[in-house]
Every structure is written in structure tokens, then in C-alpha cells.
Amino acid sequence: LRTYLPRRRSARRRQGSGLLLAAAVGIGLALLVIWMVDAALRPAVTTLASVQAENKITGIINDAVSSTLADQGVAYADLVTVERDESGKVSLVAVDSVKLNSLRTQILEQVLEQVEGLDAQELGVPLGSLTGFATASDWGPVLPVGVLTAAVPKAEFSNQFTAQGINQTLHQIMLDVTVELTLLIPGGRTETSVTAQVCVAETLLVGEVPQTYLGLSAAGS
């Protein structure tokens, strides 16, 4: 009996040590697999999250411009003064910078408010989209993607004059909006920048337009 008990205890200790070693190896292998999967999928998740953010924010910018113009009842004639000479030729196209700056402020406030209000499900990436198959793009649970921080959007107006035919010129006032933000993705974060161009007002100028206008594809307001 005296020789049996120590051997039994020794066997139990070896068995316990073996279980601990097996558990440690198992945990190590699991962590390695997780790391490998994360390293393989993170670029795809980052890209898809950036694309999702771009689509959402572009929609927000378009909606902000449309709603602001509708609320203010702003039309082309409210923003631009077109003067002609005695022959009917366009002699001056003057943009009201004060009104444009006021519109820009209202639009950017609305854009920032809506971007900061995006939730993780709206920007989330469906797990099926990581497979690369279009038919599976909406399958599976959604990996949450949140807006961690968003800088104050920047916006600049520009003029575009495009010939539309004989003595017809399309004049557009364009707004270029840039939103820089930090996205919180599974396992980390990523920086992205979204730029969208929206037409604020346009009209078709009938009659000859000076080449000084036609030669400018975009002129600052």
C-alpha cells in the first residue's frame, strides 16, 4: 500500500500535466487560426467597409443638398445673374457667393449630423460578401462597422460650362463635398475619405457664350 499510493499520485500528476499541455497547445492553435483568418480577411473587410461608407455618405450628401434646396426654395435664378449685351450675347455670369456660402454651411451641418448618426448595422458588411460571389453578397450575419470619428466636412463650389449644341451652353454650379472619417471595423480601425460631387443648380444658356466661359471646365465660385 505504501508503494502503490505514491505511484498513483504520480500518475495523476502526469495526467494533469498532460491535460494542461494539451489545453495550452489547443488554445495556441486556436489563436493561430484566428490570427491567420483575421490577417486574410481584414483587407477585404477594410475595403468593403470603405465602399459601404462611400455609398452611404454619398447618399447622405445628395439628400442633404436636395432637402436644403427644397427647404430654402432655391433656384438657379436665385444664385446666378446672367447679363446680355444688345445683341443677346452673354456678357456676364455672376454668382452670388453670399447665398452659396449660406447653402454650404447648412448642407455641411446636415451631412455631419447624419454621418455621426450612422449606426453599425447601416455600415455593416455581410459575411457572405467576403466570399467574392455576387449571389452570396447579402448572406450571413453582418459584421458591424461604426463611425468612430468624423471630421467636419469640407465643400467647395465650382462652375461648369458645357457646350450642348449650336449656341447652347449648359451652366452647372457643382458642390464637391469631402468627408474624412475613422471607421471602427472588427479587430481594428481604418481611415477613409469620401468625396462626392453634386449639382446644386443648372440652366441652359441659349445664345452665344464667350469663350472665356467655355474654356473653363471648372471655375471657382
Side-chain angles (χ1 to χ4, degrees), residues 53-54 56-58 60-61 107-108 110-116 118 147 149-155 176-183 191-196:
E54 181 176 357
K56 288 291 182 181
I57 293 175
T58 299
I60 286 175
I61 292 171
I107 291 169
L108 293 185
Q110 188 171 341
V111 169
L112 181 60
E113 180 181 354
Q114 292 190 39
V115 169
E116 291 181 336
L118 286 172
V147 176
T149 59
V152 176
K154 301 175 183 178
D176 295 289
V177 182
T178 299
V179 181
E180 297 179 353
L181 63 162
T182 301
L183 298 177
E191 309 286 335
T192 188
S193 178
V194 179
T195 299

XYZ file of all heavy atoms in Angstrom, residues 53-54 56-58 60-61 107-108 110-116 118 147 149-155 176-183 191-196:
290
model
N -19.231 52.674 -46.675
C -19.264 54.036 -46.144
C -19.398 55.050 -47.274
O -20.149 56.031 -47.160
C -18.004 54.313 -45.334
N -18.682 54.822 -48.368
C -18.756 55.740 -49.504
C -20.174 55.802 -50.068
O -20.690 56.884 -50.368
C -17.768 55.306 -50.593
C -17.758 56.227 -51.799
C -16.717 55.839 -52.823
O -15.956 54.889 -52.567
O -16.660 56.493 -53.882
N -23.043 55.050 -48.519
C -23.951 55.674 -47.571
C -23.763 57.182 -47.519
O -24.728 57.960 -47.504
C -23.753 55.073 -46.178
C -24.264 53.658 -46.011
C -25.781 53.624 -46.065
C -26.296 52.198 -45.837
N -27.785 52.141 -45.906
N -22.508 57.621 -47.460
C -22.236 59.049 -47.304
C -22.562 59.812 -48.588
O -23.041 60.946 -48.531
C -20.769 59.259 -46.874
C -20.583 58.706 -45.461
C -20.387 60.732 -46.921
C -19.169 58.736 -44.967
N -22.331 59.188 -49.735
C -22.732 59.831 -50.993
C -24.234 60.058 -51.011
O -24.718 61.124 -51.437
C -22.316 58.964 -52.199
O -20.891 58.820 -52.206
C -22.757 59.601 -53.498
N -26.110 60.416 -48.359
C -26.379 61.461 -47.368
C -26.128 62.840 -47.959
O -26.913 63.781 -47.767
C -25.496 61.244 -46.119
C -26.018 60.061 -45.305
C -25.443 62.503 -45.251
C -25.143 59.690 -44.127
N -25.035 62.980 -48.706
C -24.707 64.273 -49.313
C -25.773 64.680 -50.323
O -26.230 65.824 -50.339
C -23.320 64.206 -49.980
C -22.227 64.049 -48.913
C -23.058 65.455 -50.818
C -20.851 63.765 -49.482
N -25.770 72.777 -45.629
C -25.585 71.427 -46.167
C -24.578 70.653 -45.331
O -24.802 69.490 -44.965
C -25.142 71.491 -47.638
C -26.295 72.000 -48.512
C -24.672 70.117 -48.124
C -25.893 72.339 -49.935
N -23.455 71.286 -44.992
C -22.416 70.593 -44.228
C -22.880 70.245 -42.822
O -22.520 69.187 -42.293
C -21.151 71.456 -44.175
C -20.425 71.660 -45.504
C -19.127 72.425 -45.297
C -20.147 70.323 -46.178
N -25.901 69.471 -41.964
C -26.791 68.315 -42.100
C -26.000 67.046 -42.405
O -26.297 65.968 -41.870
C -27.808 68.586 -43.216
C -28.908 67.535 -43.307
C -30.006 67.959 -44.259
O -30.155 69.128 -44.585
N -30.789 66.996 -44.724
N -24.983 67.164 -43.259
C -24.151 65.997 -43.596
C -23.454 65.465 -42.360
O -23.471 64.251 -42.086
C -23.110 66.374 -44.676
C -22.076 65.253 -44.825
C -23.790 66.624 -46.012
N -22.834 66.343 -41.578
C -22.107 65.907 -40.386
C -23.048 65.245 -39.385
O -22.712 64.198 -38.803
C -21.401 67.092 -39.733
C -20.567 66.770 -38.487
C -19.473 65.773 -38.818
C -19.968 68.048 -37.903
N -24.224 65.816 -39.193
C -25.184 65.253 -38.241
C -25.603 63.844 -38.647
O -25.674 62.938 -37.813
C -26.413 66.162 -38.152
C -27.475 65.673 -37.185
C -28.695 66.586 -37.139
O -28.664 67.658 -37.784
O -29.670 66.227 -36.462
N -25.855 63.649 -39.940
C -26.312 62.334 -40.396
C -25.177 61.308 -40.407
O -25.393 60.126 -40.126
C -26.927 62.456 -41.791
C -28.233 63.247 -41.803
C -28.955 63.146 -43.147
O -28.973 62.090 -43.772
N -29.537 64.237 -43.579
N -23.961 61.750 -40.730
C -22.823 60.825 -40.732
C -22.547 60.334 -39.313
O -22.324 59.138 -39.084
C -21.561 61.512 -41.306
C -20.320 60.648 -41.050
C -21.726 61.738 -42.809
N -22.566 61.243 -38.357
C -22.328 60.848 -36.967
C -23.461 59.983 -36.421
O -23.269 59.256 -35.449
C -22.153 62.088 -36.095
C -20.851 62.849 -36.379
C -20.690 64.060 -35.495
O -21.727 64.584 -35.009
O -19.542 64.498 -35.285
N -24.940 57.558 -38.132
C -24.959 56.229 -38.745
C -24.678 55.172 -37.695
O -23.765 55.310 -36.877
C -23.898 56.145 -39.849
C -24.188 56.883 -41.158
C -22.961 56.848 -42.059
C -25.373 56.269 -41.885
N -18.868 54.427 -37.118
C -18.101 55.651 -37.314
C -17.502 56.041 -35.966
O -18.215 56.413 -35.039
C -18.992 56.788 -37.851
C -18.187 58.082 -37.956
C -19.577 56.408 -39.205
N -14.869 58.398 -35.498
C -14.783 59.864 -35.523
C -15.056 60.353 -36.941
O -14.799 59.637 -37.916
C -13.383 60.365 -35.095
O -12.395 59.821 -35.979
C -13.065 59.973 -33.660
N -15.552 61.566 -37.053
C -15.800 62.185 -38.358
C -15.374 63.641 -38.287
O -15.826 64.388 -37.417
C -17.280 62.081 -38.736
N -14.476 64.019 -39.191
C -14.029 65.408 -39.232
C -15.113 66.273 -39.857
O -16.016 65.770 -40.533
C -12.735 65.505 -40.034
N -15.043 67.571 -39.618
C -16.007 68.492 -40.216
C -15.861 68.417 -41.736
O -14.752 68.568 -42.270
C -15.756 69.928 -39.731
C -16.706 70.892 -40.434
C -15.930 70.023 -38.230
N -16.943 68.135 -42.457
C -16.854 68.014 -43.919
C -16.361 69.312 -44.566
O -16.577 70.403 -44.040
C -18.297 67.696 -44.334
C -18.948 67.165 -43.110
C -18.303 67.894 -41.964
N -15.712 69.152 -45.702
C -15.253 70.300 -46.471
C -16.008 70.344 -47.787
O -16.366 69.297 -48.337
C -13.746 70.193 -46.732
C -12.896 70.130 -45.465
C -11.437 69.913 -45.802
C -10.601 69.780 -44.534
N -9.167 69.518 -44.851
N -16.257 71.548 -48.279
C -17.011 71.669 -49.525
C -16.549 72.895 -50.306
O -16.239 73.931 -49.721
C -18.513 71.759 -49.240
N -18.540 70.145 -54.449
C -17.681 68.996 -54.130
C -17.548 68.899 -52.619
O -16.995 69.804 -51.981
C -16.307 69.166 -54.764
C -16.376 69.164 -56.287
O -16.632 68.103 -56.859
O -16.184 70.243 -56.888
N -18.053 67.812 -52.061
C -18.034 67.603 -50.606
C -17.082 66.462 -50.265
O -17.138 65.399 -50.886
C -19.440 67.274 -50.060
C -19.406 67.111 -48.541
C -20.431 68.370 -50.449
N -16.213 66.705 -49.286
C -15.279 65.680 -48.830
C -15.492 65.417 -47.352
O -15.523 66.355 -46.548
C -13.822 66.120 -49.056
O -13.606 66.331 -50.460
C -12.849 65.050 -48.571
N -15.661 64.145 -47.007
C -15.860 63.739 -45.615
C -14.741 62.773 -45.232
O -14.569 61.736 -45.886
C -17.234 63.057 -45.407
C -17.412 62.661 -43.946
C -18.359 63.980 -45.853
N -13.983 63.117 -44.219
C -12.928 62.237 -43.707
C -13.389 61.632 -42.394
O -13.862 62.344 -41.511
C -11.629 63.019 -43.513
C -11.064 63.575 -44.808
C -9.784 64.357 -44.600
O -9.414 64.573 -43.424
O -9.158 64.751 -45.599
N -13.249 60.325 -42.252
C -13.733 59.675 -41.054
C -12.901 58.445 -40.716
O -12.169 57.911 -41.548
C -15.209 59.298 -41.185
C -15.625 58.294 -42.252
C -16.998 57.735 -41.919
C -15.716 58.967 -43.631
N -13.024 58.040 -39.470
C -12.374 56.829 -38.977
C -13.450 55.788 -38.720
O -14.394 56.036 -37.963
C -11.596 57.101 -37.682
O -10.608 58.108 -37.928
C -10.909 55.840 -37.190
N -13.310 54.630 -39.369
C -14.282 53.555 -39.212
C -13.756 52.531 -38.215
O -12.576 52.169 -38.237
C -14.537 52.866 -40.551
C -15.134 53.722 -41.663
C -15.261 52.894 -42.938
C -16.489 54.286 -41.262
N -8.906 54.419 -41.689
C -9.192 55.789 -42.105
C -9.700 55.761 -43.544
O -9.174 55.034 -44.384
C -7.933 56.653 -42.018
C -7.212 56.590 -40.691
C -7.946 57.348 -39.589
O -8.708 58.266 -39.934
O -7.750 57.015 -38.412
N -10.695 56.580 -43.838
C -11.197 56.657 -45.203
C -11.668 58.070 -45.492
O -11.972 58.841 -44.573
C -12.344 55.652 -45.432
O -12.671 55.628 -46.833
C -13.591 56.054 -44.656
N -11.709 58.404 -46.752
C -12.156 59.727 -47.189
C -13.146 59.542 -48.328
O -12.888 58.784 -49.272
C -10.969 60.577 -47.641
O -11.393 61.838 -48.102
N -14.273 60.225 -48.242
C -15.326 60.113 -49.256
C -15.540 61.474 -49.898
O -15.728 62.476 -49.198
C -16.652 59.620 -48.640
C -17.735 59.535 -49.703
C -16.453 58.274 -47.968
N -15.485 61.526 -51.216
C -15.718 62.765 -51.955
C -16.863 62.552 -52.931
O -16.888 61.554 -53.661
C -14.461 63.206 -52.727
O -13.395 63.444 -51.799
C -14.722 64.490 -53.495
N -17.801 63.463 -52.906
C -18.946 63.365 -53.813
C -19.202 64.730 -54.451
O -19.039 65.768 -53.804
C -20.193 62.902 -53.063
